[in-house]
PDB file of all heavy atoms in Angstrom:
ATOM      1  N   PHE A 405       0.829  -1.229  -0.025  1.00 92.00           N
ATOM      2  CA  PHE A 405       0.018   0.022  -0.046  1.00 92.00           C
ATOM      3  C   PHE A 405       0.850   1.257   0.017  1.00 92.00           C
ATOM      4  O   PHE A 405       1.899   1.232   0.628  1.00 92.00           O
ATOM      5  CB  PHE A 405      -0.916   0.043   1.232  1.00 92.00           C
ATOM      6  CG  PHE A 405      -1.945  -0.933   1.265  1.00 92.00           C
ATOM      7  CD1 PHE A 405      -2.028  -2.141   1.795  1.00 92.00           C
ATOM      8  CD2 PHE A 405      -3.193  -0.596   0.421  1.00 92.00           C
ATOM      9  CE1 PHE A 405      -3.155  -2.947   1.671  1.00 92.00           C
ATOM     10  CE2 PHE A 405      -4.228  -1.431   0.217  1.00 92.00           C
ATOM     11  CZ  PHE A 405      -4.240  -2.701   0.915  1.00 92.00           C
ATOM     12  N   MET A 406       0.411   2.226  -0.740  1.00 89.00           N
ATOM     13  CA  MET A 406       1.130   3.599  -0.748  1.00 89.00           C
ATOM     14  C   MET A 406       0.008   4.653  -0.621  1.00 89.00           C
ATOM     15  O   MET A 406      -1.028   4.565  -1.270  1.00 89.00           O
ATOM     16  CB  MET A 406       1.886   3.702  -2.019  1.00 89.00           C
ATOM     17  CG  MET A 406       2.988   2.776  -2.251  1.00 89.00           C
ATOM     18  SD  MET A 406       3.814   3.184  -3.788  1.00 89.00           S
ATOM     19  CE  MET A 406       4.899   4.589  -3.220  1.00 89.00           C
ATOM     20  N   ARG A 407       0.315   5.678   0.187  1.00 87.00           N
ATOM     21  CA  ARG A 407      -0.636   6.765   0.297  1.00 87.00           C
ATOM     22  C   ARG A 407      -0.599   7.674  -0.998  1.00 87.00           C
ATOM     23  O   ARG A 407      -1.512   8.227  -1.345  1.00 87.00           O
ATOM     24  CB  ARG A 407      -0.343   7.594   1.594  1.00 87.00           C
ATOM     25  CG  ARG A 407      -0.585   6.902   2.834  1.00 87.00           C
ATOM     26  CD  ARG A 407      -0.950   7.852   3.993  1.00 87.00           C
ATOM     27  NE  ARG A 407      -1.234   7.063   5.146  1.00 87.00           N
ATOM     28  CZ  ARG A 407      -2.291   6.447   5.518  1.00 87.00           C
ATOM     29  NH1 ARG A 407      -3.279   6.524   4.625  1.00 87.00           N
ATOM     30  NH2 ARG A 407      -2.381   5.794   6.569  1.00 87.00           N
ATOM     31  N   MET A 408       0.623   7.819  -1.482  1.00 81.00           N
ATOM     32  CA  MET A 408       0.821   8.513  -2.755  1.00 81.00           C
ATOM     33  C   MET A 408       1.476   7.612  -3.744  1.00 81.00           C
ATOM     34  O   MET A 408       2.205   6.747  -3.409  1.00 81.00           O
ATOM     35  CB  MET A 408       1.682   9.829  -2.467  1.00 81.00           C
ATOM     36  CG  MET A 408       1.125  10.805  -1.373  1.00 81.00           C
ATOM     37  SD  MET A 408       2.064  12.173  -1.128  1.00 81.00           S
ATOM     38  CE  MET A 408       1.830  13.043  -2.689  1.00 81.00           C
ATOM     39  N   LEU A 409       1.224   7.951  -5.007  1.00 72.00           N
ATOM     40  CA  LEU A 409       1.831   7.170  -6.046  1.00 72.00           C
ATOM     41  C   LEU A 409       3.323   7.324  -6.116  1.00 72.00           C
ATOM     42  O   LEU A 409       3.864   8.405  -5.695  1.00 72.00           O
ATOM     43  CB  LEU A 409       1.172   7.474  -7.405  1.00 72.00           C
ATOM     44  CG  LEU A 409      -0.259   7.089  -7.555  1.00 72.00           C
ATOM     45  CD1 LEU A 409      -0.799   7.564  -8.828  1.00 72.00           C
ATOM     46  CD2 LEU A 409      -0.431   5.672  -7.483  1.00 72.00           C
ATOM     47  N   PRO A 410       4.072   6.310  -6.686  1.00 62.00           N
ATOM     48  CA  PRO A 410       5.468   6.486  -6.902  1.00 62.00           C
ATOM     49  C   PRO A 410       5.917   7.723  -7.630  1.00 62.00           C
ATOM     50  O   PRO A 410       5.191   8.092  -8.542  1.00 62.00           O
ATOM     51  CB  PRO A 410       5.953   5.230  -7.574  1.00 62.00           C
ATOM     52  CG  PRO A 410       4.789   4.344  -7.650  1.00 62.00           C
ATOM     53  CD  PRO A 410       3.528   5.159  -7.278  1.00 62.00           C
ATOM     54  N   GLU A 411       6.988   8.375  -7.188  1.00 61.00           N
ATOM     55  CA  GLU A 411       7.505   9.604  -7.887  1.00 61.00           C
ATOM     56  C   GLU A 411       8.766   9.234  -8.746  1.00 61.00           C
ATOM     57  O   GLU A 411       9.396   8.215  -8.477  1.00 61.00           O
ATOM     58  CB  GLU A 411       7.771  10.664  -6.902  1.00 61.00           C
ATOM     59  CG  GLU A 411       6.541  11.151  -6.232  1.00 61.00           C
ATOM     60  CD  GLU A 411       6.848  12.370  -5.277  1.00 61.00           C
ATOM     61  OE1 GLU A 411       7.857  13.006  -5.520  1.00 61.00           O
ATOM     62  OE2 GLU A 411       6.037  12.604  -4.457  1.00 61.00           O
ATOM     63  N   GLY A 412       9.094  10.112  -9.635  1.00 54.00           N
ATOM     64  CA  GLY A 412      10.306   9.952 -10.398  1.00 54.00           C
ATOM     65  C   GLY A 412       9.935  10.022 -11.862  1.00 54.00           C
ATOM     66  O   GLY A 412       8.808  10.398 -12.318  1.00 54.00           O
ATOM     67  N   PRO A 413      10.859   9.523 -12.756  1.00 46.00           N
ATOM     68  CA  PRO A 413      10.760   9.669 -14.237  1.00 46.00           C
ATOM     69  C   PRO A 413       9.893   8.490 -14.693  1.00 46.00           C
ATOM     70  O   PRO A 413      10.210   7.991 -15.816  1.00 46.00           O
ATOM     71  CB  PRO A 413      12.135   9.535 -14.625  1.00 46.00           C
ATOM     72  CG  PRO A 413      12.815   8.704 -13.696  1.00 46.00           C
ATOM     73  CD  PRO A 413      12.192   8.996 -12.412  1.00 46.00           C
ATOM     74  N   LYS A 414       8.773   8.230 -14.102  1.00 53.00           N
ATOM     75  CA  LYS A 414       8.005   7.140 -14.611  1.00 53.00           C
ATOM     76  C   LYS A 414       6.916   7.771 -15.528  1.00 53.00           C
ATOM     77  O   LYS A 414       6.541   8.893 -15.401  1.00 53.00           O
ATOM     78  CB  LYS A 414       7.259   6.435 -13.395  1.00 53.00           C
ATOM     79  CG  LYS A 414       8.308   5.716 -12.508  1.00 53.00           C
ATOM     80  CD  LYS A 414       7.633   5.399 -11.208  1.00 53.00           C
ATOM     81  CE  LYS A 414       8.676   5.100 -10.179  1.00 53.00           C
ATOM     82  NZ  LYS A 414       9.293   6.227  -9.592  1.00 53.00           N
ATOM     83  N   GLU A 415       6.351   6.941 -16.400  1.00 53.00           N
ATOM     84  CA  GLU A 415       5.407   7.447 -17.307  1.00 53.00           C
ATOM     85  C   GLU A 415       4.120   6.775 -17.134  1.00 53.00           C
ATOM     86  O   GLU A 415       4.069   5.475 -17.086  1.00 53.00           O
ATOM     87  CB  GLU A 415       5.921   7.145 -18.720  1.00 53.00           C
ATOM     88  CG  GLU A 415       5.575   8.275 -19.768  1.00 53.00           C
ATOM     89  CD  GLU A 415       6.254   8.027 -21.025  1.00 53.00           C
ATOM     90  OE1 GLU A 415       7.445   7.828 -21.113  1.00 53.00           O
ATOM     91  OE2 GLU A 415       5.476   8.185 -22.023  1.00 53.00           O
ATOM     92  N   ILE A 416       3.033   7.513 -17.007  1.00 58.00           N
ATOM     93  CA  ILE A 416       1.695   7.028 -16.851  1.00 58.00           C
ATOM     94  C   ILE A 416       1.323   6.488 -18.293  1.00 58.00           C
ATOM     95  O   ILE A 416       1.340   7.339 -19.263  1.00 58.00           O
ATOM     96  CB  ILE A 416       0.695   8.044 -16.350  1.00 58.00           C
ATOM     97  CG1 ILE A 416       1.114   8.463 -15.035  1.00 58.00           C
ATOM     98  CG2 ILE A 416      -0.717   7.500 -16.454  1.00 58.00           C
ATOM     99  CD1 ILE A 416       0.356   9.584 -14.399  1.00 58.00           C
ATOM    100  N   ARG A 417       0.921   5.312 -18.449  1.00 55.00           N
ATOM    101  CA  ARG A 417       0.554   4.737 -19.722  1.00 55.00           C
ATOM    102  C   ARG A 417      -1.017   4.560 -19.879  1.00 55.00           C
ATOM    103  O   ARG A 417      -1.456   4.765 -20.961  1.00 55.00           O
ATOM    104  CB  ARG A 417       1.212   3.315 -19.954  1.00 55.00           C
ATOM    105  CG  ARG A 417       2.714   3.487 -20.079  1.00 55.00           C
ATOM    106  CD  ARG A 417       3.006   4.122 -21.366  1.00 55.00           C
ATOM    107  NE  ARG A 417       4.421   4.110 -21.625  1.00 55.00           N
ATOM    108  CZ  ARG A 417       4.995   4.553 -22.727  1.00 55.00           C
ATOM    109  NH1 ARG A 417       4.407   4.933 -23.662  1.00 55.00           N
ATOM    110  NH2 ARG A 417       6.348   4.340 -22.855  1.00 55.00           N
ATOM    111  N   TYR A 418      -1.584   4.195 -18.807  1.00 56.00           N
ATOM    112  CA  TYR A 418      -3.049   4.011 -18.824  1.00 56.00           C
ATOM    113  C   TYR A 418      -3.778   4.565 -17.589  1.00 56.00           C
ATOM    114  O   TYR A 418      -3.132   4.549 -16.570  1.00 56.00           O
ATOM    115  CB  TYR A 418      -3.483   2.492 -18.930  1.00 56.00           C
ATOM    116  CG  TYR A 418      -2.901   1.791 -20.193  1.00 56.00           C
ATOM    117  CD1 TYR A 418      -1.692   1.203 -20.112  1.00 56.00           C
ATOM    118  CD2 TYR A 418      -3.632   1.813 -21.351  1.00 56.00           C
ATOM    119  CE1 TYR A 418      -1.290   0.524 -21.272  1.00 56.00           C
ATOM    120  CE2 TYR A 418      -3.133   1.175 -22.549  1.00 56.00           C
ATOM    121  CZ  TYR A 418      -1.976   0.502 -22.475  1.00 56.00           C
ATOM    122  OH  TYR A 418      -1.478  -0.160 -23.509  1.00 56.00           O
ATOM    123  N   MET A 419      -4.931   5.027 -17.765  1.00 55.00           N
ATOM    124  CA  MET A 419      -5.658   5.570 -16.638  1.00 55.00           C
ATOM    125  C   MET A 419      -7.086   5.294 -16.874  1.00 55.00           C
ATOM    126  O   MET A 419      -7.600   5.506 -18.011  1.00 55.00           O
ATOM    127  CB  MET A 419      -5.413   6.972 -16.380  1.00 55.00           C
ATOM    128  CG  MET A 419      -6.198   7.548 -15.119  1.00 55.00           C
ATOM    129  SD  MET A 419      -5.740   9.300 -14.949  1.00 55.00           S
ATOM    130  CE  MET A 419      -4.087   9.199 -14.157  1.00 55.00           C
ATOM    131  N   TRP A 420      -7.903   5.006 -15.874  1.00 52.00           N
ATOM    132  CA  TRP A 420      -9.338   4.749 -15.974  1.00 52.00           C
ATOM    133  C   TRP A 420      -9.969   6.063 -15.709  1.00 52.00           C
ATOM    134  O   TRP A 420      -9.668   6.777 -14.778  1.00 52.00           O
ATOM    135  CB  TRP A 420      -9.903   3.743 -14.941  1.00 52.00           C
ATOM    136  CG  TRP A 420      -9.709   2.364 -15.363  1.00 52.00           C
ATOM    137  CD1 TRP A 420      -8.819   1.397 -14.951  1.00 52.00           C
ATOM    138  CD2 TRP A 420     -10.513   1.684 -16.320  1.00 52.00           C
ATOM    139  NE1 TRP A 420      -9.029   0.250 -15.539  1.00 52.00           N
ATOM    140  CE2 TRP A 420     -10.138   0.337 -16.394  1.00 52.00           C
ATOM    141  CE3 TRP A 420     -11.606   2.082 -17.124  1.00 52.00           C
ATOM    142  CZ2 TRP A 420     -10.672  -0.623 -17.206  1.00 52.00           C
ATOM    143  CZ3 TRP A 420     -12.238   1.199 -17.891  1.00 52.00           C
ATOM    144  CH2 TRP A 420     -11.732  -0.220 -18.035  1.00 52.00           C
ATOM    145  N   MET A 421     -10.906   6.477 -16.558  1.00 50.00           N
ATOM    146  CA  MET A 421     -11.677   7.680 -16.355  1.00 50.00           C
ATOM    147  C   MET A 421     -13.095   7.375 -16.988  1.00 50.00           C
ATOM    148  O   MET A 421     -13.286   6.915 -17.980  1.00 50.00           O
ATOM    149  CB  MET A 421     -11.156   8.842 -17.269  1.00 50.00           C
ATOM    150  CG  MET A 421      -9.807   9.366 -16.759  1.00 50.00           C
ATOM    151  SD  MET A 421      -9.434  10.738 -17.806  1.00 50.00           S
ATOM    152  CE  MET A 421      -7.635  10.737 -17.644  1.00 50.00           C
ATOM    153  N   SER A 422     -14.046   7.637 -16.083  1.00 47.00           N
ATOM    154  CA  SER A 422     -15.466   7.416 -16.437  1.00 47.00           C
ATOM    155  C   SER A 422     -15.679   6.032 -17.039  1.00 47.00           C
ATOM    156  O   SER A 422     -16.473   5.888 -17.959  1.00 47.00           O
ATOM    157  CB  SER A 422     -15.954   8.548 -17.391  1.00 47.00           C
ATOM    158  OG  SER A 422     -15.720   9.724 -16.883  1.00 47.00           O
ATOM    159  N   GLY A 423     -15.123   4.986 -16.400  1.00 51.00           N
ATOM    160  CA  GLY A 423     -15.465   3.649 -16.767  1.00 51.00           C
ATOM    161  C   GLY A 423     -14.718   3.167 -18.018  1.00 51.00           C
ATOM    162  O   GLY A 423     -14.970   1.971 -18.539  1.00 51.00           O
ATOM    163  N   ALA A 424     -13.777   3.946 -18.549  1.00 54.00           N
ATOM    164  CA  ALA A 424     -13.022   3.515 -19.828  1.00 54.00           C
ATOM    165  C   ALA A 424     -11.504   3.659 -19.517  1.00 54.00           C
ATOM    166  O   ALA A 424     -11.103   4.573 -18.942  1.00 54.00           O
ATOM    167  CB  ALA A 424     -13.482   4.337 -21.047  1.00 54.00           C
ATOM    168  N   ARG A 425     -10.721   2.805 -20.159  1.00 54.00           N
ATOM    169  CA  ARG A 425      -9.257   2.879 -20.044  1.00 54.00           C
ATOM    170  C   ARG A 425      -8.737   3.794 -21.142  1.00 54.00           C
ATOM    171  O   ARG A 425      -8.955   3.574 -22.269  1.00 54.00           O
ATOM    172  CB  ARG A 425      -8.632   1.579 -20.078  1.00 54.00           C
ATOM    173  CG  ARG A 425      -7.153   1.559 -19.845  1.00 54.00           C
ATOM    174  CD  ARG A 425      -6.528   0.165 -19.867  1.00 54.00           C
ATOM    175  NE  ARG A 425      -7.157  -0.828 -19.086  1.00 54.00           N
ATOM    176  CZ  ARG A 425      -6.783  -1.104 -17.800  1.00 54.00           C
ATOM    177  NH1 ARG A 425      -5.810  -0.424 -17.255  1.00 54.00           N
ATOM    178  NH2 ARG A 425      -7.433  -1.960 -17.073  1.00 54.00           N
ATOM    179  N   TYR A 426      -7.983   4.760 -20.826  1.00 54.00           N
ATOM    180  CA  TYR A 426      -7.338   5.644 -21.828  1.00 54.00           C
ATOM    181  C   TYR A 426      -5.774   5.559 -21.798  1.00 54.00           C
ATOM    182  O   TYR A 426      -5.244   5.531 -20.697  1.00 54.00           O
ATOM    183  CB  TYR A 426      -7.704   7.155 -21.445  1.00 54.00           C
ATOM    184  CG  TYR A 426      -9.165   7.472 -21.651  1.00 54.00           C
ATOM    185  CD1 TYR A 426     -10.034   7.369 -20.616  1.00 54.00           C
ATOM    186  CD2 TYR A 426      -9.658   7.901 -22.941  1.00 54.00           C
ATOM    187  CE1 TYR A 426     -11.394   7.682 -20.741  1.00 54.00           C
ATOM    188  CE2 TYR A 426     -10.928   8.123 -23.146  1.00 54.00           C
ATOM    189  CZ  TYR A 426     -11.894   7.959 -22.038  1.00 54.00           C
ATOM    190  OH  TYR A 426     -13.183   8.286 -22.268  1.00 54.00           O
ATOM    191  N   ARG A 427      -5.313   5.566 -22.989  1.00 56.00           N
ATOM    192  CA  ARG A 427      -3.784   5.497 -23.098  1.00 56.00           C
ATOM    193  C   ARG A 427      -3.329   7.002 -22.861  1.00 56.00           C
ATOM    194  O   ARG A 427      -3.782   7.821 -23.536  1.00 56.00           O
ATOM    195  CB  ARG A 427      -3.392   4.943 -24.482  1.00 56.00           C
ATOM    196  CG  ARG A 427      -1.865   4.779 -24.466  1.00 56.00           C
ATOM    197  CD  ARG A 427      -1.565   3.837 -25.637  1.00 56.00           C
ATOM    198  NE  ARG A 427      -0.077   3.690 -25.751  1.00 56.00           N
ATOM    199  CZ  ARG A 427       0.612   2.819 -25.062  1.00 56.00           C
ATOM    200  NH1 ARG A 427       0.095   2.058 -24.108  1.00 56.00           N
ATOM    201  NH2 ARG A 427       2.034   2.776 -25.241  1.00 56.00           N
ATOM    202  N   MET A 428      -2.352   7.109 -21.936  1.00 53.00           N
ATOM    203  CA  MET A 428      -1.859   8.444 -21.646  1.00 53.00           C
ATOM    204  C   MET A 428      -0.381   8.580 -22.127  1.00 53.00           C
ATOM    205  O   MET A 428       0.484   8.715 -21.379  1.00 53.00           O
ATOM    206  CB  MET A 428      -1.933   8.671 -20.055  1.00 53.00           C
ATOM    207  CG  MET A 428      -3.184   8.340 -19.375  1.00 53.00           C
ATOM    208  SD  MET A 428      -4.564   9.407 -19.974  1.00 53.00           S
ATOM    209  CE  MET A 428      -4.037  10.788 -18.962  1.00 53.00           C
ATOM    210  N   GLU A 429      -0.253   8.502 -23.412  1.00 50.00           N
ATOM    211  CA  GLU A 429       1.105   8.470 -24.016  1.00 50.00           C
ATOM    212  C   GLU A 429       1.807   9.826 -23.666  1.00 50.00           C
ATOM    213  O   GLU A 429       1.264  10.844 -23.897  1.00 50.00           O
ATOM    214  CB  GLU A 429       0.964   8.377 -25.478  1.00 50.00           C
ATOM    215  CG  GLU A 429       2.276   8.043 -26.222  1.00 50.00           C
ATOM    216  CD  GLU A 429       2.753   6.661 -25.803  1.00 50.00           C
ATOM    217  OE1 GLU A 429       2.017   5.732 -26.027  1.00 50.00           O
ATOM    218  OE2 GLU A 429       3.919   6.597 -25.446  1.00 50.00           O
ATOM    219  N   GLY A 430       3.040   9.632 -23.178  1.00 44.00           N
ATOM    220  CA  GLY A 430       3.882  10.859 -22.949  1.00 44.00           C
ATOM    221  C   GLY A 430       3.576  11.636 -21.675  1.00 44.00           C
ATOM    222  O   GLY A 430       4.263  12.568 -21.350  1.00 44.00           O
ATOM    223  N   ARG A 431       2.462  11.229 -20.913  1.00 42.00           N
ATOM    224  CA  ARG A 431       2.170  12.066 -19.678  1.00 42.00           C
ATOM    225  C   ARG A 431       3.233  11.626 -18.630  1.00 42.00           C
ATOM    226  O   ARG A 431       3.381  10.499 -18.331  1.00 42.00           O
ATOM    227  CB  ARG A 431       0.722  11.683 -19.219  1.00 42.00           C
ATOM    228  CG  ARG A 431      -0.391  12.099 -20.070  1.00 42.00           C
ATOM    229  CD  ARG A 431      -0.826  13.535 -19.877  1.00 42.00           C
ATOM    230  NE  ARG A 431      -0.943  13.881 -18.492  1.00 42.00           N
ATOM    231  CZ  ARG A 431      -2.112  13.858 -17.742  1.00 42.00           C
ATOM    232  NH1 ARG A 431      -3.220  13.627 -18.428  1.00 42.00           N
ATOM    233  NH2 ARG A 431      -2.143  14.289 -16.570  1.00 42.00           N
TER     234      ARG A 431
END
């Protein structure tokens, strides 16, 4: 468990929003 998400030069690739998975290229 983590209270906050990992920090650093990681790239978010997918995120759920309103019931659908979105690719977050480059975020």
Side-chain angles (χ1 to χ4, degrees):
F405 285 102
M406 295 182 78
R407 292 207 183 279
M408 298 182 70
L409 292 175
E411 293 186 19
K414 300 165 192 79
E415 214 171 314
I416 296 174
R417 292 294 188 168
Y418 298 93
M419 180 179 283
W420 275 105
M421 292 182 203
S422 303
R425 186 182 303 272
Y426 292 93
R427 186 160 178 83
M428 310 293 286
E429 195 67 55
R431 293 275 313 260

